[in-house]
Amino acid sequence: MIETPLFNGPNIHLTAIDPEKDAAVEAAWTYDLDYVQWVTEKPARPLGALALKKRHEEWQKKTEDTGSQYYWAIRRTEGDELIGFVRIPFVFWSHAYAIVNVAFGSAENLVLFGREALELVLRYGFTELNLYRMETSLPAYREDAQALFEQAGFLLEVRRRKAFFRGGQYWDALHYGLLCHEWQAQHQIAEVL
């Protein structure tokens, strides 16, 4: 029996997304360029609740149809307030690896709860999905996100030069990865294989 809850931490928990209610809260976050660039691959712009609701519904349908995408709302345990989202947008089953993204509505919540949210999704990926590798890609100007992933044990593996344009200049794309046995060693978990 698993002793550690998969979706609950001391300060936050991961829940299903309520497309209607969560989109209304999230719409205010899209005025932050760092946040909205996580939401869409299109040029950054504020998004309304209706567009976000549609996106959440599309993601839910993809999750149900493909079984290779997972995502949750991040909520504070106290008060159940929506503070962000965590997403596994692609699972490559034949290679046992996935991409992971974490986005918060405020920089303060990223600092306060980012590590806990990332730990929950890593635990899910490595124990429930039986993945061997998890990775993420970040622009070099997102030093807060770099610190978050590095604290969780991710290693910088690839630097693609001048891949992002932001604020009048080009920035490198940083690709980070974490292997299951590295994560297990951090948490003193015996390897199964």
Side-chain angles (χ1 to χ4, degrees):
M1 175 157 74
I2 296 176
E3 302 274 332
T4 308
L6 282 176
F7 303 107
N8 298 308
N11 303 299
I12 62 166
H13 56 281
L14 305 182
T15 69
I17 292 173
D18 181 330
E20 187 100 23
K21 290 180 184 175
D22 292 345
V25 173
E26 185 184 13
W29 301 347
T30 65
Y31 287 88
D32 176 353
L33 285 177
D34 291 332
Y35 182 82
V36 78
Q37 288 177 336
W38 176 82
V39 172
T40 181
E41 291 80 36
K42 298 174 184 173
R45 67 187 194 290
L47 298 170
L50 187 59
L52 293 166
K53 178 185 178 217
K54 182 179 175 186
R55 187 205 55 191
H56 286 302
E57 289 170 343
E58 289 170 358
W59 284 1
Q60 284 179 334
K61 183 164 177 24
K62 271 187 180 178
T63 298
E64 292 167 9
D65 291 349
T66 67
S68 62
Q69 174 173 295
Y70 302 87
Y71 74 114
W72 301 271
I74 304 168
R75 300 184 196 281
R76 291 185 67 155
T77 301
E78 186 180 312
D80 211 38
E81 171 193 4
L82 175 69
I83 59 171
F85 297 96
V86 64
R87 187 171 167 222
I88 298 175
F90 301 104
V91 176
F92 301 91
W93 294 111
S94 59
H95 303 293
Y97 90 89
I99 295 170
V100 61
N101 296 313
V102 178
F104 283 86
S106 74
E108 179 185 0
N109 282 332
L110 173 68
V111 170
L112 292 173
F113 307 111
R115 180 70 189 271
E116 191 174 335
L118 187 54
E119 284 299 329
L120 288 173
V121 75
L122 292 174
R123 183 183 320 140
Y124 184 82
F126 289 132
T127 64
E128 187 67 16
L129 298 181
N130 197 31
L131 297 173
Y132 182 70
R133 171 187 174 80
M134 295 185 78
E135 63 184 56
T136 196
S137 177
L138 303 167
Y141 60 82
R142 288 299 312 270
E143 292 176 2
D144 54 351
Q146 291 172 50
L148 171 67
F149 281 90
E150 288 171 1
Q151 289 169 4
F154 281 75
L155 299 176
L156 179 61
E157 298 175 330
V158 175
R159 176 183 292 269
R160 288 186 317 137
R161 298 176 303 134
K162 310 297 182 190
F164 290 101
F165 185 76
R166 170 88 186 278
Q169 69 181 75
Y170 286 93
W171 299 85
D172 294 350
L174 308 175
H175 298 268
Y176 286 88
L178 177 65
L179 304 180
C180 184
H181 70 271
E182 295 166 340
W183 178 81
Q184 289 171 330
Q186 284 179 355
H187 300 301
Q188 300 177 344
I189 299 170
E191 286 189 55
V192 176
L193 299 176

